[in-house]
Amino acid sequence: FAASIISFNGPAGEAYIGKFIKGIKNTAKLKGYDIKVYENQFNQAEQDQQVQQVLAAGQLPDVFIWWPSDAVAGLGSLRALHKTGVPVLKINQLPNEQDKQYIFGYAGPDDRLRARNAGYMMREAAAAKKAAGGEGFNVLALSYPHSYGGYSLSINAFKEAIAGSDLKIIGDVDEGFGQANGYKGAAKMISKLKDQGIHFVYGMDDAILTGGIKALEEAGYKMGTDVIAVGTVCNGDKQLIEEGKQFGTTLQSPLHEGQLAIKMVEEYLSTGKLANYINFTPNPSVTKETIATTALRGFDGKLYSIEELCSGAW
Amino acid sequence: MFEKTKKWLTGNPDLAFAMLLACCVYGYFAITNEYFMTGRTTFAIMERFAVLGLVGLALTLCIIAGEIDLSIGSNAALAAVIVVRFTDSLGAPTALLIAVLISTSIGIIQGYFIAYLRIRAIVLTVGTLMLLRGVALFVAEEKTVMLTDFRIPDFITTKYFYYFSPASILVILVFMLVGFFMSYTRYGREIYAIGGARKEALASGIDLKRPMIIVFAISGFCAGLGGVIIGLRSGTAQALGLQYLLLAGTVAAFIGGVSILGGRGGVIGAIIGTLTVNFLNTGLVFNVTPAFLVQLYLGILLVIVIMFQTGSRIFDQSQKRRQLLSDVDLRRLDLLSRKHKYQKPP
Amino acid sequence: MSTGSSISGGSAKLNFLDKIIRDYSGLAIIMVAIFLFVFLYGMITAPNFLTIFNLKTIVRDAALVGIMAIGLTFVTLSGNFFLLSMKETAALCIIAFATGMSYGWGFELSFLFTMCFALVAGIFQGALIGLGGNPIVVTLGAAGVLYGLGAYWSDNLVVSYRRPHGAEWLGTGSFLGLPNITVAFILIAISAELVLRKTNFGRQVYLIGANRAAGKATGHENFSMAIKVCTIASVCSAFVAIAFSAQVSSAQVNYFSSEFGSSGDMTIMVIATVMVGGNSIMGGYGSTMRSSLGAIFISSIDNMMVLHGFNSGPRVFAVGLMIVFSIIVFALVRRGSRTEE
Amino acid sequence: MEPLLELSNINRSFSAIDALRSVDFSIFPGEVMGLVGENGAGKSTLVKIISGFDNEYTGSLKLNNKETRFSSPGKAEKMGIAIAQQELSLIPTMSVAENIFLTGDVAPVFATKTALVMKAKDYLSEVGLDYLDPYLLVDRLSVGEQHLVEVARLIAHDPQILILDEPTAALGESDSIRILDMVKRLSDRGKSIIYVSHRLDEIFKICDRITVLRDGKSIDALPISELDVNGLVEIMLGRELKNMFPSRNKKVKGEPLIKIKNLWPDGLLQPVEFEIYAGEILGLAGQLGSGSGEVLAAIAGAHKSRSGTLEFGDLVFLPRSPKEAIEAKIAYCSEDRKYDGLFLGRPIIENISSPSLKSISKFGVRSTRAEKELSQDISAKFTVDASRLTSEAGVLSGGNQQKVALGKWLSINPKIILVNEPTRGVDVGARAEIYQKLRDLAEQGSAIVIASTDIQEITNLPDRVISFYRGAMINEIKLEDMSAIKILSSITDPYSETSMQKEEN
Ligand SMILES: Nc1ncnc2c1ncn2[C@@H]1O[C@H](COP(=O)(O)OP(=O)(O)OP(=O)(O)O)[C@@H](O)[C@H]1O
Ligand SMILES: Nc1ncnc2c1ncn2[C@@H]1O[C@H](COP(=O)(O)OP(=O)(O)OP(=O)(O)O)[C@@H](O)[C@H]1O
Ligand SMILES: [Mg+2]
Ligand SMILES: [Mg+2]
């Protein structure tokens, strides 16, 4: 093998990570790298143990790829990896100030970019609604748990993007990740905000939003006309966009992320450093109109359709 | 010597089987993976043991007392959050003390309520499981908390005597203390008594409060210490973390051969059970096994243990019956001969 | 006996409230009073809490956990403690159902296919428990195996199927203004209660739960009972899995681990629900109605907190507090009855 | 002389029930005080107060003339009061030695198992168990041995006052004698003993004075010399007891209802064979461990047998579970109603209908009316208050519980009713009722088999007796030969082993 890589990441059981692993493994194979993937069950303590054990085995790779279960909580293990002298690439969770001394770069999505694009998308939709004489611009946000690092990045970027428009956030609920929690959170907020009127919904990711849309429909809202929903990540239900129930999403492909990680490793191994310290995956917007035609070129040079790029029920 | 071993084996079949299982798991990985039987791996296993062992110990004690503490993961998370949050401002020893004290007190309070209300621990702790998560979220201000100074994590993961770290040495000490406590003190015997036969123990004058409070205090202490070790080792802590501890600890306790009926089992079993789980976990990590398969293997391990325990119970029963019948046969011969000799004609 | 009937014969005639005042400590009464005060205060001040729409939301919210709790209640009442494999059964079943649907088998066939898994899981666990295996250990082991099978089968990926499909009516349809899942919850709650009260099977559940040895002596064996109740619990899990899958048109093994409540997993929620209803964990005392109400109670607390604008953190705390609280109150109340423990 | 312990004006009520009403009680050093009274008279409540298990009473308790109040059993024990409660309180999963040193001041805070064993040996030999290995787990011991271990545990505390609450209720004759001997030995050494029992013969054998409780009130303690059995019963009941036992069925007629062939229950030395006739009450006499109970249980499918068949009409079978026996209309009450006779936490009505759910339901759905009728019918027959049918069986007194445990079997119209210890722990009044009921049932054509260790009962109730001794069936005693002496000799020493031993020496 040209080089060996060890990647620490979440469980393949999670749809997004499942695709990511596929991306990283296939690309590594293409490049002739030997890669080992250690999964943990969304559990920082478990991941810490894994790191220890892998280090204990004493078989050091040429590069570590590090996706901490929790951006902040993974710091201890990151230090341990760094101490071995093997370069570390951080992925998925944007590095903070403390991380920087231990990694040679970052590859992965940008929560802010993703949220900002969603904000812009909603802004356009609002403008169109206004032009058509529509009224009501109240936004309900279906959020990640507020304790989760991605929450503040996402909500702030989204707020920035809609600042100055007619849109106004009137509710923000953080029931939890996933469709079931999205449904529950939205259902409660509908009770609360029904009188004020809900006209737009922002889902911090599409899985949450998918649940939220079910709740809205059950409450009698007509999606797409009464309420306009915008999500991100494309890990929810694709059919909702095709049917026009969800206005759009900003695509974030796990497949891409995996490929990008390998690309950065390749760049580092050949040049000894990265041209850009931070490397983001693109976040194109997808709507009903563009969903059939959207495709992205992967880092292996192939063109991937949205079906292949996204996680969730796509 | 041989006789003694045999007697011990028949007296503690569950423990013997646990040992056998541990050896099998270790042996399997030692043979299939060249790095498994090395000092560094042993160190890693001991590091895992430091946390899981504590939880396994706590749950073993609870199960001996005929109860189960579901709140153990939440309690550990709370301790982790507290210690990480306050180490920077108060220094590690103080923060550590506070965290462990709080966890122990939570255990004491739970034990008190369980004894006072005469309810099953599982009933109360299913509530405190959630309650303590809420408290931990509150303490952590719903964020992941983190140290700024990483000398403490470095210290507690330094190697001593090839295989140990300060953390695992501390845990081994805890094990020895608790083991001594359980088998040689009166209070330990009380715990066995309320687990073996609750009603009888109360009737013989044991005050339920003391053993209950002790058990849950130890459980709280172990959870707290476990949480502190995890928190300080990684330098960070999450209020919603450590949920896996409960399940892993329970599995470890059962694999260690503790009887769910209470009153039987011990610290040795807790050690063996935890080590078995650790061997499996570590071995699977070495073989780069996907996470979901770990659950499957643990499930299978448990099923094997259940099969064995059920089998040994059935065997025991049939053994008892055979013993009874052969006793009867002996007595019959004896009686018949006398009857023949001495029965007066009617 | 002639002189022994000096014990008051009328205790059965007193109603619940009188009984509390007569038998129970001031502590219990004060706690209930505080609780009622806080609850009523929260109810009145929460915006839109007391609307029909919100009440429907609360019941709908309680439905999935409630259905599972009803299933588990049978196990608990019959003295067989708990199944710790509720969510893993659901995990395997949701994969089975979605796989069926994605093969285009249609709702009915997929439903039956799924139920086969639930039956096998229930019968297998029940038989082990009936043979004398401890419920906690047996189901802990079964949990690992069931989850592992589900993950292995689905290759740990999302199994999805496209709308329109035959299960939509269950997942997203409604009847007389109530979502069908709510309707199912209500129907299941009522029929479970009827089964418990009116049928021989229900009576056997109580009898065996109250005293297993006496049950055996009067011809009611726990072996078949354990199989039956475990099967009921598994079938309820499977039904929840199907309903949930029908709602989101997809399935994944992790749906029941991470997606129900940020505070713990589904199994713990279900157990908490059974406990909050005040069912006796040792069996023989309680009802499925209590569990259903427990589910609604928990979801209404949560709902009220959301309406007051609390984040998930305080909500976890409050729900935990309420659970502990009601457990303590029930324990205090129950101490008046001599046969507890 | 000053009384060692003196209670005066003790009141204790359980919400609506006044268990004790201004009770006075005293005991002198070295005295054996009998405490008697009907079921529910308050005996257990009183001794629980004395021993610190119950602290919610009013009144004064003086020990050595000092006013005290025990807040916990531990406190009472420190002051030299030890109690053996009605139920055994040994931990079956622990060894004999550990059990002896479980609680109290004598339990060392630190000790190895061996140290405990060494210490235990003395106390064991004091109760006559010197042959016992103290390492043994308690669940390997016989019931009699367990009771003695329990007493050894109390003696280890070196109490001033020893309370025994019905210690012999579950014991056979020879184990009882061991206990009585021990009581005598202790009182000779100056200990005071409070002895609670329903067995009046024992009371008369060992007590110096007797305190009677009636309906929660105490009646002044009387020296034994001023009392005889009938007088005592009169005081207990507040009325005179007529003949407790119903008159008997002189001749049993016709074919046997059931033939027991070659039945060899586990624990018996030999197979047994006998016949049971409709309309009779058959008694199986024998002490604990004689195997009479096992025979009953084996017929009912509740105990394993090596071999055997029942020839029951056309049916030739051996039930493998109680269920099969019930289907064949064989009813069986074990000797321990709390263990498997009653669902204490369920309403009485459910207890009564529990064996016959099938007959009162259609397609598995129960008819509420049929159930009500059935249970009212049965409760009327057994004089259980019908208005209490919906309350839990657990709140009934021992006697009423026994009536329910027995009466529930009427719902299956049994052809054979097997009762082990029909009146264990049941007071005199309820006893007579139960005897009458059994007789009525026999008269109506059922076959009744009772097994009993109570010699009065077994001589006066049955029409025919089969005696058992140490796992062997000895002989059948016809009505005309029945006398206490004869039965006693055939269940205690049928082979004249005592004389045999003499010869051997
Ligand atoms: N825990 C309790 N709760 C309510 N009432 C009780 C309780 N214990 C006893 N009683 C009442 O006290 C009375 C006396 O009971 P106690 O157990 O002392 O009777 P006893 O004389 O020991 O009867 P027995 O001969 O059956 O053992 C009973 O009639 C009963 O009504
Ligand atoms: N909590 C209680 N509530 C009401 N009555 C009680 C309670 N506890 C005990 N009793 C009453 O106390 C009396 C004796 O109770 P106990 O438990 O000693 O019965 P027992 O063991 O069956 O008596 P025995 O064996 O002497 O017949 C009964 O009359 C019973 O009804
Ligand atoms: Mg009694
Ligand atoms: Mg009594």
Side-chain angles (χ1 to χ4, degrees), chain B residues 317 321, chain D residues 264-267 294 297-298 301-306:
Chain B
Q317 276 166 3
R321 179 162 189 228
Chain D
W264 196 351
D266 283 9
E294 281 83 347
H303 187 80
K304 277 212 171 85
S305 308
R306 276 198 251 196

Side-chain angles (χ1 to χ4, degrees), chain D residues 374-482:
Chain D
L374 175 81
S375 49
Q376 273 170 352
D377 190 33
I378 289 175
S379 66
K381 277 187 194 150
F382 271 84
T383 58
V384 176
D385 186 358
S387 68
R388 294 180 65 180
L389 281 178
T390 50
S391 54
E392 290 174 6
V395 302
L396 291 176
S397 73
N400 277 320
Q401 284 183 4
Q402 182 70 358
K403 287 194 230 164
V404 173
L406 195 58
K408 69 167 189 267
W409 290 113
L410 296 196
S411 64
I412 64 165
N413 296 319
K415 293 210 182 100
I416 300 176
I417 303 175
L418 312 164
V419 192
N420 196 356
E421 300 290 357
T423 58
R424 165 171 300 170
V426 171
D427 68 282
V428 198
R431 235 175 230 220
E433 272 185 71
I434 289 174
Y435 293 148
Q436 186 59 50
K437 213 67 244 171
L438 289 173
R439 179 52 71 190
D440 292 349
L441 287 170
E443 229 104 85
Q444 285 153 24
S446 306
I448 314 266
V449 187
I450 64 162
S452 176
T453 52
D454 183 328
I455 194 73
Q456 289 295 323
E457 187 169 287
I458 206 74
T459 14
N460 291 308
L461 181 65
D463 306 314
R464 187 162 63 101
V465 166
I466 297 175
S467 61
F468 286 82
Y469 174 70
R470 291 206 184 173
M473 188 172 134
I474 302 301
N475 57 3
E476 187 180 316
I477 303 169
K478 295 255 158 48
L479 186 52
E480 47 275 20
D481 310 328
M482 236 184 262

Side-chain angles (χ1 to χ4, degrees), chain D residues 44 86 165-166:
Chain D
S44 298
Q86 211 164 331
D165 192 353
E166 300 191 37

Side-chain angles (χ1 to χ4, degrees), chain C residues 1 4 7 336-338, chain D residues 14 17 39-40 43-44 86-87 166 198 337-338 394-399 401 424-427:
Chain C
M1 169 174 74
I7 315 170
S337 144
R338 74 174 288 200
Chain D
F14 298 96
I17 306 147
N39 290 118
K43 305 180 297 289
S44 298
Q86 211 164 331
E87 283 85 27
E166 300 191 37
H198 287 296
R337 63 175 170 266
K338 280 190 177 147
V395 302
L396 291 176
S397 73
Q401 284 183 4
R424 165 171 300 170
V426 171
D427 68 282

Side-chain angles (χ1 to χ4, degrees), chain D residues 331-384:
Chain D
Y332 167 64
C333 276
S334 84
E335 75 280 16
D336 188 348
R337 63 175 170 266
K338 280 190 177 147
Y339 173 66
D340 67 358
L342 287 171
F343 304 93
L344 290 176
R346 300 304 303 175
I348 297 166
I349 182 168
E350 293 186 11
N351 273 283
I352 291 179
S353 63
S354 61
S356 57
L357 288 178
K358 275 210 186 101
S359 67
I360 51 168
S361 57
K362 266 201 195 104
F363 308 116
V365 178
R366 209 174 48 251
S367 151
T368 316
R369 220 191 53 203
E371 183 176 30
K372 210 165 163 188
E373 277 167 8
L374 175 81
S375 49
Q376 273 170 352
D377 190 33
I378 289 175
S379 66
K381 277 187 194 150
F382 271 84
T383 58
V384 176

Side-chain angles (χ1 to χ4, degrees), chain C residues 316-339:
Chain C
V316 171
F317 179 79
V319 169
L321 191 66
M322 284 302 125
I323 294 175
V324 171
F325 199 88
S326 58
I327 285 165
I328 291 180
V329 169
F330 271 118
L332 285 173
V333 166
R334 195 98 49 77
R335 274 212 298 190
S337 144
R338 74 174 288 200
T339 41

Side-chain angles (χ1 to χ4, degrees), chain B residues 122-169:
Chain B
I122 196 170
V123 181
L124 186 73
T125 52
V126 81
T128 48
L129 170 130
M130 255 171 254
L131 185 63
L132 293 178
R133 286 265 170 234
V135 177
L137 276 167
F138 174 75
V139 174
E141 293 172 341
E142 298 192 36
K143 285 199 284 282
T144 300
V145 292
M146 176 167 60
L147 292 179
T148 49
D149 175 3
F150 269 81
R151 276 175 311 186
I152 306 288
D154 290 342
F155 167 70
I156 68 166
T157 48
T158 16
K159 250 185 228 185
Y160 287 92
F161 315 114
Y162 305 107
Y163 302 133
F164 304 106
S165 70
S168 56
I169 291 173

